[in-house]
Amino acid sequence: MTAPHSAASGGSSCRVTKYVLPQATGAIAVTSTQRRHLSSTEDNIASAEGKVDGMQDHVDLVQEQWRRERPDLDPAPQGVIGRVHRLAAALTEELTAVYAQFGLSEAEFDLLASLRRAGAPYELPAGELADHTMVTTGGLTKRVDRLIERGLVVRTDADDDRRRRLVRLTPEGVELIDRAFTAHLANEHRLVALLPAGDADALREAARRWLAALAHD
């Protein structure tokens, strides 16, 4: 489990938080220290705690405007979908802040993580790697080129087919993604812990059913 510790001084505009997740990758334990502005997701939720009932958020205001302007339509779905969109953007901002600590973009983290979780020797065919990262082959080539320049991955030929190109983590790449994923998972534990008890389970299962209904895995 994550062990968060926070401290904030009176009138300060930022908060320092430490996260420790010893068992995240089974390889390395790190402590990630982040200095985060008080307008972050954690502080926004904390400031709103206990005030949700009877309080309006941005989506409520948008729905009110549409009810006024188009009373013939029901904007109720915006209460779900609008908030999911805004939540996704807020969470992405929180997650990418950790990737940046390791000099990685979201796409680069995704690529290295896909290779790492494939298991030793930490390699995948370029086409399969594109499927894992949901990017085009052309976009993948540019990302791989940047990571090669940093010494984090290499391109190799498959033993059974010289025409098939593989992308493989270098030892430096394995070490970096292990540290980055440890900090990333600690960050995710922190974000989920912002929800009241039971809400995370309910949200996980609702999202699973919704994705299945939309035929997305």
Side-chain angles (χ1 to χ4, degrees), residues 4 8 30 43 51 80 82-83 92 112 118-120 129 137 142 152 164 171 176 180 196 205:
V30 302
D43 299 296
K51 299 181 181 179
V80 178
R83 288 187 177 91
T92 296
L112 295 178
L129 186 56
T137 303
K142 294 178 181 178
L152 300 176
R164 192 167 64 120
L176 178 66
E205 294 310 312

Side-chain angles (χ1 to χ4, degrees), residues 82-133:
R83 288 187 177 91
V84 169
H85 272 289
R86 290 174 64 82
L87 179 59
L91 290 175
T92 296
E93 184 178 342
E94 295 285 328
L95 297 177
T96 54
V98 172
Y99 306 153
Q101 292 179 7
F102 299 89
L104 298 172
S105 67
E106 183 177 25
E108 290 167 341
F109 175 90
D110 191 24
L111 191 155
L112 295 178
S114 295
L115 292 171
R116 177 63 176 88
R117 68 174 183 265
Y122 313 120
E123 64 182 20
L124 287 171
E128 186 176 341
L129 186 56
D131 293 337
H132 276 268
T133 56

Side-chain angles (χ1 to χ4, degrees), residues 67-186:
R67 289 189 182 101
R68 182 191 67 232
E69 297 299 316
R70 291 295 306 272
D72 56 313
L73 299 177
D74 177 15
Q78 291 182 317
V80 178
I81 295 176
R83 288 187 177 91
V84 169
H85 272 289
R86 290 174 64 82
L87 179 59
L91 290 175
T92 296
E93 184 178 342
E94 295 285 328
L95 297 177
T96 54
V98 172
Y99 306 153
Q101 292 179 7
F102 299 89
L104 298 172
S105 67
E106 183 177 25
E108 290 167 341
F109 175 90
D110 191 24
L111 191 155
L112 295 178
S114 295
L115 292 171
R116 177 63 176 88
R117 68 174 183 265
Y122 313 120
E123 64 182 20
L124 287 171
E128 186 176 341
L129 186 56
D131 293 337
H132 276 268
T133 56
M134 295 181 292
V135 297
T136 63
T137 303
L140 178 70
T141 299
K142 294 178 181 178
R143 292 172 187 171
V144 171
D145 286 344
R146 288 196 297 268
L147 294 172
I148 288 176
E149 291 176 1
R150 296 178 58 183
L152 300 176
V153 303
V154 294
R155 288 191 181 93
T156 63
D157 294 325
D159 292 337
D160 58 347
D161 186 352
R162 294 294 180 180
R163 296 168 299 177
R164 192 167 64 120
R165 299 289 280 171
L166 303 174
V167 179
R168 177 187 299 171
L169 284 176
T170 64
E172 293 79 10
V174 173
E175 188 271 339
L176 178 66
I177 191 57
D178 272 351
R179 290 192 294 113
F181 183 70
T182 298
H184 164 70
L185 199 56

Side-chain angles (χ1 to χ4, degrees), residues 190-209:
R190 174 185 67 85
L191 292 167
V192 172
L194 297 175
L195 292 171
D199 279 11
D201 290 340
L203 181 58
R204 180 185 64 244
E205 294 310 312
R208 188 198 307 275
R209 290 192 294 272

